[in-house]
Amino acid sequence: MTNKNFRETVNGVASVASTECTNEQQWTKYHSRQGHGFAAEDANAMHDAWSGKSVEKVGVDNAKNGADRIVNGVQIQTKYCADASKSVGAAFENGTFRYDGMKLEVPKDQYDEAVRLMRGRISDGQVPGVTDPNRADQIVIKGHYTYDEACRIAKAGNVDSIKFDVQTQAVACGFACGLSFAVAYCSAKSNGMTHREALKHASKQAAKSGVTTMCTGVAAQQLLRTQVGRNFAAIATNAIKPTVQSAMKTEVGKHVLTKTASVIAGKQVAGAAATNVITKALRTNAVVSSVVFVGTTIPDAVNLCRGKISGREFAENTASNAASVGGGWAGASAGAALGSAIFPGPGTIIGGVIGGIGGGIASSSAVKKICSWFH
């Protein structure tokens, strides 16, 4: 595998990983009046996951009085309002605590005042089943972020939101590094390099892929917080949804898309729910892939300006790179669906990697073949 083919293949699969990380966030709601609350849910869930806890983000369905997430079996409802009185008050309806059996998570800087207010609510008989005010600190838990930090995470172009995006993209970065290292090492050994030489080559390629994946992933998430990014996503949705709906009308298309949607959602979905999952995934991938494409095209543009490559080579590289990014996502999604059907869990991961590599190579090779006809 040539260095260019290698780069294109990794870019395609890396865009899949970045898309998956981005889809786990509620970025479509960050711009709303209560966007900081959704950002707080995502940020606190991520912090718990990084702490090694088992996290289920069950609140994305917005079920009335349902938990936002379940951490190590404990149901948590997150309330991030401008002050402690409003944060605690938001958990009550008609004078009664409406999240029976759940913990109430409040901003880190409001915790002490929130506990004091909850004691008063308990004393007033507003918390069913709880009569001891001293149990307030067992109901109220301290969030990992302050109210102001949550507000900044919901917006683009600041340290807190960039730091959050770096952490969420770390998984994609690690995935790209591992994949790059494995592929580069095997390729180097097959070309006659020694173990030491192959390790050095693979490490260099892994570092490049990791940096590229991290930068493009963070750039994509920052873009999606802006009006430009949201407009782009809306245009992509309008373009993609009719195609997905048409595919769902055929038996083969329905089977493949339903399987793929279930893998992406992490649970069994069908019908309109599957269509929405696929559409949203493709929409996000369109944004992420565009950023990946632009980011990875820049080096070729620089080489073109320096006269190191011709205009024809630049056009071929650009078309090939675009195909590998899109093909990588399609292949990885289909491979994950097939792998999940055969062996859920490990099969999903293995199928996704193999499908992503195959899809990226096939798409890139097809474009190169077409380009060769015009030489």
Side-chain angles (χ1 to χ4, degrees):
M1 182 183 291
T2 66
N3 285 337
K4 189 152 67 70
N5 284 341
F6 169 82
R7 183 190 69 182
E8 291 168 349
T9 299
V10 172
N11 287 343
V13 181
S15 70
V16 180
S18 292
T19 296
E20 188 64 23
C21 291
T22 303
N23 270 336
E24 291 178 357
Q25 313 309 319
Q26 302 176 82
W27 60 266
T28 56
K29 304 171 185 174
Y30 284 4
H31 70 286
S32 66
R33 188 171 63 86
Q34 296 181 332
H36 62 279
F38 296 110
E41 292 175 18
D42 289 340
N44 281 302
M46 180 199 66
H47 191 286
D48 284 338
W50 274 100
S51 299
K53 299 176 182 177
S54 171
V55 179
E56 296 178 67
K57 293 179 69 173
V58 296
V60 292
D61 60 359
N62 293 318
K64 185 175 175 59
N65 296 336
D68 287 321
R69 71 183 188 278
I70 300 175
V71 179
N72 289 346
V74 178
Q75 297 185 79
I76 297 175
Q77 171 63 219
T78 301
K79 293 297 181 186
Y80 267 59
C81 298
D83 57 56
S85 178
K86 292 179 180 177
S87 294
V88 172
F92 288 79
E93 188 173 52
N94 298 323
T96 302
F97 186 64
R98 58 194 180 104
Y99 300 109
D100 185 39
M102 299 182 200
K103 303 292 185 181
L104 175 63
E105 181 177 58
V106 299
K108 182 166 62 174
D109 53 325
Q110 297 178 12
Y111 175 72
D112 291 336
E113 177 65 9
V115 170
R116 187 188 70 78
L117 291 169
M118 184 61 77
R119 287 197 190 102
R121 296 274 189 168
I122 294 174
S123 295
D124 292 339
Q126 296 182 16
V127 182
V130 181
T131 57
D132 183 2
N134 292 321
R135 288 185 57 190
D137 60 359
Q138 297 176 29
I139 298 174
V140 180
I141 61 174
K142 184 188 294 186
H144 302 294
Y145 300 86
T146 66
Y147 173 79
D148 287 341
E149 285 173 335
C151 290
R152 288 192 290 270
I153 288 173
K155 298 177 181 179
N158 63 79
V159 174
D160 286 312
S161 69
I162 292 173
K163 181 180 177 182
F164 170 71
D165 290 346
V166 167
Q167 291 175 307
T168 59
Q169 288 295 320
V171 174
C173 181
F175 178 78
C177 283
L179 174 64
S180 296
F181 185 89
V183 174
Y185 180 82
C186 293
S187 178
K189 289 293 288 181
S190 67
N191 289 328
M193 288 189 185
T194 65
H195 174 66
R196 178 184 286 273
E197 290 172 335
L199 281 178
K200 184 177 180 179
H201 172 72
S203 297
K204 184 178 179 180
Q205 294 293 346
K208 286 182 178 179
S209 296
V211 170
T212 299
T213 302
M214 177 61 75
C215 291
T216 53
V218 170
Q221 289 195 194
Q222 288 287 308
L223 177 63
L224 287 169
R225 286 183 176 83
T226 67
Q227 189 61 52
V228 172
R230 290 193 294 272
N231 288 344
F232 183 14
I235 292 171
T237 300
N238 292 333
I240 291 166
K241 194 164 188 175
T243 303
V244 176
Q245 289 175 329
S246 295
M248 287 290 282
K249 292 178 181 179
T250 67
E251 281 303 314
V252 174
K254 183 178 181 180
H255 179 73
V256 172
L257 292 180
T258 298
K259 283 287 186 182
T260 303
S262 297
V263 170
I264 295 172
K267 61 182 180 180
Q268 194 65 38
V269 292
T275 298
N276 288 334
V277 169
I278 292 294
T279 301
K280 289 178 180 178
L282 287 171
R283 169 200 63 194
T284 307
N285 183 68
V287 178
V288 174
S289 295
S290 296
V291 174
V292 171
F293 169 68
V294 171
T296 54
T297 300
I298 290 175
D300 284 332
V302 172
N303 287 332
L304 175 65
C305 294
R306 290 179 175 178
K308 292 184 177 181
I309 62 174
S310 66
R312 179 184 59 77
E313 288 175 318
F314 175 75
E316 181 179 327
N317 290 349
T318 300
S320 177
N321 195 33
S324 71
V325 170
W329 189 88
S333 298
L338 180 60
S340 181
I342 298 172
F343 188 14
T348 303
I349 298 172
I350 295 171
V353 171
I354 295 175
I357 293 175
I361 293 175
S363 301
S364 177
S365 298
V367 169
K368 289 174 184 174
K369 182 66 175 178
I370 294 172
C371 290
S372 69
W373 294 345
F374 299 94
H375 287 182

